[in-house]
Amino acid sequence: MTDIEAGTHALPRHSRRLLTGYFAGLGIVMAVWGARIPAVQTTAEVNTAGLALVLLSAALGMVAGLQAGGRLARPARLPVLLTGGAIGLGGGLAALGFCDSLESLLVVAFVFGAAHGVLDVAANASAVRCQDAHGRPIMAGLHASYSLGALAGAALAAATTSTSHTVLFAAVGVTAATAAGAATRPTRCIAAPGLQREPRRHTEGPDEHGRLSRSRVWLLGLLAAVTLLGEGAAADWAAVHLHDLGATAATGAAAYAAYSAAMAGRLVGDRLTARYGAPAVVRTGAALGALGLATGLAASTIASALLGWAAFGLGLSVTIPSLITAAGIGGPRAVATVAVTGYVGLLAGPALIGALASATTLPHALLLPAFLAATVAALAPKTLETPAP
């Protein structure tokens, strides 16, 4: 094997390691933010309605970032999007720690959300290229690194409850931004020709370019939005939910840790999907998530709530990787469209839950993601089935 051939074969492995770091870092940052939201709320002296506005601002920023990232999601630009998004996300988290008013939170949350959107599109588009270069499923494994990162971030937040959230946000944010900056040069391999995906034709409903039909792409995006609404609910409201039940700050942070630990079910997601097929795995998981969360909310105890969030995370763990993989047939543009549509639910959903909680109660509002998980169980099998040749 020549040096050039050896380098080409090493590209997928090197790219996978880099992407694992990006996904894990994203999970850490988002978990630290989500677990310490009650402290941010207290410092800025905002009520539930005010917090909902902050989350909505982050949602709008993320939509803007997703749209920008989707338009720019071409192989040659992916390294810049990855590095820039990660630096912006880390800097945004650090800045959030210094916000002491609703107005400042609204502005910084928008920037934080925009960076999140750009990084997410770049990471998922890169993951599709990397998976195609490997020639076997690795998407669930890459998303598992996000879940493990979120678990680590939630555990860090729980272990540092005696430390000011300002210090924690600054430490994690600066570390993430510095790591992304240091990886600028290695990240260029993501755009290497050796990771160029081979076009694949879809056998049912393709457009004139042989890609996924527009209706299938939007349906995948809708299911992604429904699923990520639940993920956003766990990130932004799980700790608040436990706090309202009388849990300590450490136990409240453990709610998202339980959810994130269960999301590590993605570690076996590739094997389960290969054996049983994505439709069956997603259907069974979504049904489990819906039942688990609804039961945890109905019981209204700290223990049942923790178990409910864990069941919810386990049930939805393989859904997003399966949807992204299905969208990958249509190329980076389709992946970006599904990500853009899906992540509207991630941040707009929690704001919607906040509004519902203001009108009713938080437990009643959290029944929404449970109901939507049941909807995923009903619709995903038909959407994810492999068309007959």
Side-chain angles (χ1 to χ4, degrees):
M1 181 181 293
T2 67
D3 290 342
I4 294 177
E5 290 172 332
T8 300
H9 284 291
L11 275 174
R13 295 193 299 273
H14 184 50
S15 299
R16 184 178 182 180
R17 287 194 293 269
L18 280 170
L19 289 173
T20 296
Y22 276 108
F23 275 103
L26 178 57
I28 291 172
V29 170
M30 297 311 299
V32 167
W33 158 245
R36 298 301 292 271
I37 281 178
V40 175
Q41 183 180 11
T42 299
T43 299
E45 299 181 345
V46 298
N47 56 21
T48 301
L51 180 58
L53 286 176
V54 172
L55 298 178
L56 176 60
S57 179
L60 293 175
M62 190 171 188
V63 169
L66 287 167
Q67 290 178 334
R71 287 193 294 268
L72 297 172
R74 294 181 176 84
R77 297 170 179 169
L78 290 177
V80 174
L81 294 177
L82 284 166
T83 302
I87 291 175
L89 189 74
L93 179 67
L96 282 167
F98 292 95
C99 296
D100 57 3
S101 67
L102 176 60
E103 292 76 15
S104 60
L105 278 174
L106 290 173
V107 173
V108 178
F110 182 89
V111 176
F112 181 72
H116 185 184
V118 170
L119 178 57
D120 194 271
V121 168
N124 277 297
S126 299
V128 170
R129 283 170 55 80
C130 189
Q131 179 171 255
D132 287 341
H134 271 272
R136 58 184 174 84
I138 64 168
M139 186 69 72
L142 288 173
H143 280 249
S145 65
Y146 172 90
S147 301
L148 293 174
L151 175 60
L156 175 63
T160 57
T161 51
S162 61
T163 302
S164 167
H165 73 281
T166 299
V167 174
L168 178 62
F169 283 10
V172 173
V174 170
T175 299
T178 301
T184 298
R185 190 178 188 87
T187 301
R188 294 174 185 170
C189 73
I190 299 295
L195 284 182
Q196 181 63 47
R197 70 189 305 273
E198 293 297 326
R200 292 178 290 168
R201 294 189 63 86
H202 197 267
T203 56
E204 180 178 322
D207 62 16
E208 66 274 18
H209 301 295
R211 298 181 176 181
L212 287 177
S213 66
R214 186 178 297 273
S215 61
R216 179 62 66 90
V217 171
W218 283 111
L219 183 55
L220 289 169
L222 176 61
L223 291 182
V226 166
T227 302
L228 290 178
L229 185 150
E231 188 166 329
D236 293 341
W237 291 106
V240 179
H241 176 217
L242 268 290
H243 176 76
D244 289 350
L245 291 176
T248 64
T251 303
Y256 187 60
Y259 172 87
S260 299
M263 287 291 280
R266 289 170 172 170
L267 288 170
V268 297
D270 292 323
R271 290 195 293 272
L272 289 175
T273 300
R275 181 170 182 178
Y276 300 107
V281 172
V282 172
R283 179 187 62 223
T284 303
L288 170 65
L291 180 61
L293 181 57
T295 301
L297 292 170
S300 298
T301 65
I302 293 175
S304 64
L306 287 171
L307 290 174
W309 285 113
F312 192 59
L314 179 62
L316 296 182
S317 60
V318 186
T319 303
I320 290 299
S322 297
L323 295 173
I324 294 295
T325 296
I329 296 174
R333 287 282 186 173
V335 171
T337 298
V338 171
V340 169
T341 308
Y343 279 96
V344 169
L346 180 67
L347 289 179
L352 173 60
I353 290 174
L356 291 174
S358 297
T360 56
T361 65
L362 182 57
H364 286 146
L366 288 172
L367 286 173
L368 176 62
F371 169 77
L372 293 177
T375 303
V376 171
L379 297 180
K382 182 66 176 178
T383 306
L384 294 173
E385 68 180 0
T386 302

